[in-house]
Amino acid sequence: MANHRMQNENTDFLFNCVLALKNLDECYDFFEDLCTVNELQALSQRIIVAKMLSEKRVYSDIVKETGASTATISRVNRSLQFGCNGYDHLFERVKNGEDQK
C-alpha cells in the first residue's frame, strides 16, 4: 500500500463522499458546490494532461491543446512517474468501460 501523506479524517470524509456519487449528474452537482470554476478547470486540465502524457504525447502538443503551463505538465508527469499510480488505475478502468455515465 502506498504512503498516503494526505490521509486524515477530513480527507477520508471527502473521498468517501466522492465514492458515494452515483452518476455524472451527481458529480456535476457535487463538484459545482465544492469547487470554484477555476478549481474545477484546473483539476480537469490536470487529468487531461495526465491522459495525454500516458499516451506519450509531447509537451508542446499538450501545451497547445490544453493551455497548461510546462510547470503543470512537469508536475503531473512527476506524479505519473513517481506517484501512487492513481491516474493509471483510473485510466484503465475508464478504458474498460467501468466509468459511470
Side-chain angles (χ1 to χ4, degrees), residues 2-95:
N3 175 17
H4 297 289
R5 297 175 302 273
M6 301 181 305
Q7 189 168 4
N8 62 47
E9 191 175 315
N10 294 340
T11 306
D12 286 352
F13 182 73
L14 169 64
F15 292 165
N16 280 314
C17 288
V18 171
L19 290 170
L21 297 169
K22 292 183 177 15
N23 56 48
L24 279 176
D25 285 336
E26 286 186 8
C27 287
Y28 272 101
D29 290 345
F30 176 72
F31 282 99
E32 188 171 329
D33 288 348
L34 180 67
C35 299
T36 66
V37 170
N38 288 340
E39 290 168 336
L40 193 52
Q41 287 173 339
L43 291 170
S44 300
Q45 183 184 66
R46 285 186 199 141
I47 200 153
I48 294 301
V49 166
K51 182 177 181 296
M52 293 175 80
L53 286 167
S54 71
E55 294 167 348
K56 308 297 185 210
R57 301 284 298 275
V58 296
Y59 276 37
S60 58
D61 289 343
I62 296 170
V63 168
K64 191 181 303 177
E65 290 184 37
T66 67
S69 68
T70 56
T72 296
I73 298 168
S74 293
R75 204 170 317 127
V76 171
N77 194 42
R78 272 194 305 280
S79 293
L80 283 170
Q81 300 300 314
F82 306 110
C84 301
N85 297 318
Y87 288 120
D88 295 331
H89 293 290
L90 287 176
F91 294 156
E92 189 62 31
R93 286 185 191 152
V94 170
K95 184 174 93 176

